[in-house]
Amino acid sequence: MNRPDVEVRASAIQGLGVFAVRPYLAGGRIRRVNIIREITPEDPLREAVGERIEHCAYPSGKVVLWGFPDRHVNHSCDPNAYALEEGDGSKIVHIVARRAIRAGEEITFDYNVNLSGGTSWPCHCGAERCLGETIGDFFKLPEERQLEYLPLLAEWFVAKHRDRIEALRPPENP
């Protein structure tokens, strides 16, 4: 019998969260995200069966519904994980540890990665470097945070915002 590597339980950040059942090393894949389907005008969210916009991701101009347990990964301004999207991110996404994660630790993302033009809302992540809000736009993060997150950006996001991202990169030494 396979034992799960994560569990969902009450979170100090908000509602439910995803917690590591075992430790993970930095760079280690935690799990493949359970993507239910793409949301389209022809196949909209079905709120009557519990589908919510808060459980969606927005890769490459699409809207995809994440399933259990992944839909419960909370935001943190100092995340210990990120979503590694393959291709356009609508079919294959892995949760990857940014740093070592202890068993029992909540797994978190910064929701501002791979996002531009979104809405903001108050943040209650409790991280020492909390910005006080989830901004909803990678390019509105402090510049040092943008530089820190450059390696986490999806290929589709980099291609879409190439000029803005290139302007962030420090010049290479000849």
Side-chain angles (χ1 to χ4, degrees), residues 14-173:
Q14 179 175 338
L16 298 175
V18 175
F19 292 81
V21 171
R22 64 174 185 84
Y24 292 94
L25 297 175
R29 289 185 180 198
I30 297 169
R31 60 174 280 112
R32 184 172 170 172
V33 171
N34 175 19
I35 296 176
I36 304 294
R37 64 188 173 85
E38 184 177 349
I39 304 302
T40 64
E42 299 77 30
D43 195 8
L45 282 172
R46 299 171 301 202
E47 293 181 7
V49 297
E51 295 179 354
R52 298 176 32 199
I53 195 70
E54 294 86 6
H55 299 157
C56 291
Y58 306 93
S60 192
K62 299 178 182 187
V63 179
V64 295
L65 179 64
W66 282 23
F68 186 88
D70 312 298
R71 67 181 179 215
H72 296 294
V73 173
N74 279 317
H75 166 81
S76 174
C77 294
D78 193 13
N80 57 15
Y82 67 100
L84 175 64
E85 300 176 359
E86 294 183 17
D88 72 1
S90 66
K91 298 197 179 2
I92 301 176
V93 179
H94 288 91
I95 298 174
V96 178
R98 284 187 65 218
R99 60 176 180 264
I101 298 173
R102 301 176 318 276
E105 186 176 351
E106 184 168 5
I107 296 168
T108 57
F109 294 156
D110 187 324
Y111 287 0
N112 297 299
V113 173
N114 297 321
L115 184 63
S116 67
T119 59
S120 67
W121 65 90
C123 179
H124 306 287
C125 72
E128 189 172 306
R129 67 183 205 166
C130 182
L131 297 173
E133 71 175 324
T134 303
I135 298 170
D137 193 320
F138 173 80
F139 299 103
K140 292 182 181 176
L141 289 171
E143 186 174 334
E144 65 275 2
R145 193 89 46 105
Q146 291 178 47
L147 290 168
E148 175 186 337
Y149 291 161
L150 282 177
L152 311 182
L153 297 177
E155 291 175 19
W156 67 264
F157 188 83
V158 172
K160 182 177 180 179
H161 301 284
R162 186 162 312 284
D163 291 343
R164 294 176 82 183
I165 290 169
E166 290 303 321
L168 284 172
R169 295 185 195 275
E172 293 183 28
N173 292 331

